[in-house]
Amino acid sequence: MGGKPINDFEKDRFLVIGHRGAAGLRPENTLASFERALELGVDAVELDVRQVEDTLLVFHDERLERTTNGRGRLADTPLSVLRGLDAGGGERIPTLDEVADLVGERAWINIELKERGIAAAVARFLRARPALRSLVSSFDHGELERLRSLHPEVPVAPLFETAGSATALLRTARRLDAWSVNVSRAGATPALLAAMRDEGMRALVYTVNRPEEARSLQAAGASGVFTDRPDRIVGAVGPP
Ligand code: G3P
Ligand code: MG
């Protein structure tokens, strides 16, 4: 995806992307989860990024309760406390650096910006790691635009939660010079996927945990899926 040029193999491959690592098999967004996804042969891992005290942390929610033994808001909690929490199975909340060290060149990393105002820190992070293959996504399309202005070579993908018109999606994607549009299962109708394919725009669909659904999305024109269960999906989708 990024860092180095996209080669033809990657460009045409139907992607299996481990959602928060392998969130259906290990505690989400932990090193154990990313390691499991890599062992299972995903093409990429997706992770969620927030910033605390100038450190980029891999964490989905605004609050701590659902996935850790802590309480309160992530943003209100000192980094030293956050790093001592149990994020499941004795795992810690990892930094983006720790995940990048683990993944290295074994797969791509899809960095999802979960907060406004972190584009500059993510751009700095990516510049410091030119060998990392990355795709940066966000529901906050303005934040993606800022990232592009700071680091124009980074591939980006606007996220869409609800089904919008293909025309609106494409307008956003073209404005960002996007590598893909990342759409929810609900939004990924056959008509939308066909429209993206006809316009030469990749569509990646989240979150798909059943092999038959992954196969039918592939047949309808999707370019890849995010999954909590790479054990079920890797190997179940065919070559393009
Ligand atoms: O990037 C795909 C997906 O992760 C977006 O939604 O809530 O799981 O971060 P969410
Ligand atoms: Mg995400």
Side-chain angles (χ1 to χ4, degrees):
M1 284 189 212
K4 49 189 167 188
I6 299 161
N7 63 40
D8 289 343
F9 169 71
E10 289 174 341
K11 192 171 63 187
D12 295 333
R13 189 175 168 81
F14 185 82
L15 300 172
V16 179
I17 304 163
H19 185 233
R20 310 179 196 174
L25 300 169
R26 296 287 184 277
E28 68 178 49
N29 281 331
T30 63
L31 293 182
S33 186
F34 298 113
E35 180 58 38
R36 188 70 193 119
L38 294 168
E39 286 167 4
L40 289 166
V42 296
D43 299 290
V45 291
E46 185 263 2
L47 51 80
D48 307 290
V49 169
R50 297 177 180 276
Q51 189 175 23
V52 177
E53 295 172 27
D54 293 333
T55 296
L56 292 169
L57 290 177
V58 177
F59 199 77
H60 182 276
D61 294 1
E62 276 183 36
R63 298 189 62 87
L64 299 170
E65 286 83 351
R66 184 179 64 84
T67 58
T68 76
N69 60 346
R71 299 183 63 80
R73 284 164 45 85
L74 181 91
D76 296 341
T77 310
L79 184 62
S80 57
V81 173
L82 292 172
R83 295 282 279 163
L85 295 178
D86 186 341
E91 292 288 312
R92 289 193 308 174
I93 300 172
T95 64
L96 182 55
D97 270 312
E98 287 171 341
V99 178
D101 285 342
L102 177 78
V103 176
E105 299 189 25
R106 298 160 77 189
W108 312 349
I109 297 187
N110 174 201
I111 298 171
E112 184 189 339
L113 310 180
K114 275 290 185 218
E115 291 178 345
R116 181 155 291 188
I118 62 175
V122 170
R124 269 195 306 278
F125 165 83
L126 291 169
R127 283 199 188 283
R129 291 181 176 266
L132 204 64
R133 291 173 293 166
S134 53
L135 174 72
V136 180
S137 60
S138 188
F139 290 106
D140 185 337
H141 304 157
E143 196 63 19
L144 279 185
E145 209 160 346
R146 273 187 287 285
L147 181 83
R148 293 277 307 173
S149 70
L150 295 164
H151 195 339
E153 307 92 71
V154 174
V156 298
L159 272 158
F160 297 91
E161 191 154 13
T162 50
S165 77
T167 316
L169 259 66
L170 280 167
R171 196 180 309 121
T172 302
R174 299 270 187 249
R175 180 166 50 81
L176 291 165
D177 192 19
W179 191 85
S180 64
V181 291
N182 296 359
V183 295
S184 67
R185 292 167 62 226
T189 60
L192 184 98
L193 294 173
M196 293 302 127
R197 189 187 45 204
D198 291 350
E199 292 291 329
M201 176 57 64
R202 298 177 194 85
L204 308 177
V205 184
Y206 67 90
T207 305
V208 178
N209 294 329
R210 289 186 302 115
E212 55 277 20
E213 186 179 2
R215 280 191 290 269
S216 83
L217 286 163
Q218 184 178 19
S223 293
V225 290
F226 297 83
T227 184
D228 297 324
R229 294 297 305 261
D231 56 325
R232 294 181 183 158
I233 306 297
V234 173
V237 286

